[in-house]
């Protein structure tokens, strides 16, 4: 595989992650209203939970990366984001619903910096500044087109349906990386099982 191929995939992943962060910055406000939350202060604090959890993910990333590696850190972050969308899609009340941005923020805090780190490791040093500029542009692009592209999805599937759709999208993105990971785990299990006791 070309050393720049992971970087190209990482740029697309950054775009997707910022695209989906719209669900916690804007759509989540409507989701809170749907479970009876009308106080602007509570709604604002609910949205801030996502930012606080993302900050916590940023602070944890060095330890997590050192333990499981950069690719597994990205996969762990994406898994948390997918779980957070499922929480938002099914939570019947505020106290369960608030777990969505808590889990999703943590996943975002793990996955976005890891993706940026993957880009920097995959390209020549002299292209680092250009890569960071392009990555920043892709982040803004993802956030900018989210309201336009998600509007038809919400019209077709409803408010909570957007979160089901987004969880499915994350799982589809993860699938090419999960299959080899499961294969490696299965081979390790078989080797351990076949080892003479």
């Amino acid at each position: 595989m070309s050393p720049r191929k992971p970087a190209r995939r990482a740029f697309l992943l950054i775009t997707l992650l910022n695209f989906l962060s719209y669900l916690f910055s804007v759509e989540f406000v409507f989701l809170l209203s749907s479970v009876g939350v009308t106080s602007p202060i509570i709604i604002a604090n609910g949205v801030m939970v996502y930012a606080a959890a993302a900050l916590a993910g940023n602070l944890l990333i060095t330890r997590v990366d050192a333990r499981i590696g950069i690719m597994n850190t990205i996969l762990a972050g994406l898994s948390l984001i997918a779980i957070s969308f499922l929480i938002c899609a099914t939570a019947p009340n505020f106290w369960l619903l608030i777990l969505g941005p808590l889990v999703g923020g943590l996943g975002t805090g793990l996955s976005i910096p890891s993706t940026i780190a993957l880009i920097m490791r995959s390209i020549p040093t002299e292209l680092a500044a250009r890569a960071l500029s392009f990555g920043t542009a892709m982040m803004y692009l993802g956030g900018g087109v989210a309201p336009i592209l998600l509007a038809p999805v919400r019209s077709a599937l409803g408010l909570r349906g957007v979160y089901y759709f987004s969880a499915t999208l994350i799982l589809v993105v993860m699938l090419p990386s999960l299959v080899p990971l499961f294969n490696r785990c299965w081979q390790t299990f078989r080797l351990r099982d076949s080892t003479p006791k």
Side-chain angles (χ1 to χ4, degrees):
M1 179 184 293
S2 167
R4 297 189 188 183
K5 193 170 184 179
R8 289 196 294 269
R9 293 179 177 176
F11 281 128
L12 294 175
L13 182 57
I14 284 179
T15 308
L16 175 65
L17 289 171
N18 281 273
F19 174 83
L20 294 176
S21 68
Y22 171 81
L23 295 178
F24 286 121
S25 60
V26 178
E27 292 294 328
F28 191 70
V29 174
F30 298 106
L31 204 54
L32 287 172
S33 298
S34 72
V35 295
V37 178
T38 57
S39 168
I41 296 177
I42 295 178
I43 290 176
N45 288 333
V47 173
M48 284 300 296
V49 167
Y50 176 75
L55 174 61
N58 283 325
L59 296 175
L60 289 172
I61 192 169
T62 304
R63 293 184 179 181
V64 176
D65 189 6
R67 285 180 176 271
I68 64 176
I70 189 168
M71 288 303 300
N72 289 334
T73 301
I74 294 173
L75 288 175
L78 292 175
S79 299
L80 290 174
I81 294 171
I83 291 170
S84 73
F85 288 153
L86 292 176
I87 292 172
C88 290
T90 57
N93 56 55
F94 171 78
W95 297 109
L96 291 176
L97 187 59
I98 205 66
L99 291 176
L102 182 64
V103 175
L106 185 61
T108 301
L110 289 174
S111 54
I112 288 184
S114 297
T115 306
I116 294 173
L118 179 63
I119 293 172
M120 302 310 294
R121 295 179 190 180
S122 304
I123 61 172
T125 305
E126 61 271 17
L127 296 178
R130 185 183 302 178
L132 284 175
S133 298
F134 185 70
T136 303
M138 296 295 279
M139 290 173 67
Y140 285 120
L141 175 65
V145 301
I148 301 170
L149 297 182
L150 286 176
V153 178
R154 181 176 176 182
S155 297
L157 302 178
L159 178 58
R160 291 185 183 258
V162 175
Y163 290 88
Y164 279 120
F165 169 82
S166 300
T168 303
L169 185 59
I170 287 287
L171 293 175
V172 169
V173 169
M174 291 174 61
L175 193 59
S177 297
L178 286 178
V179 171
L181 180 63
F182 285 144
N183 286 337
R184 289 197 300 270
C185 292
W186 174 246
Q187 292 299 327
T188 302
F189 173 78
R190 290 185 62 186
L191 286 173
R192 288 179 180 177
D193 193 52
S194 61
T195 303
K197 303 288 174 94

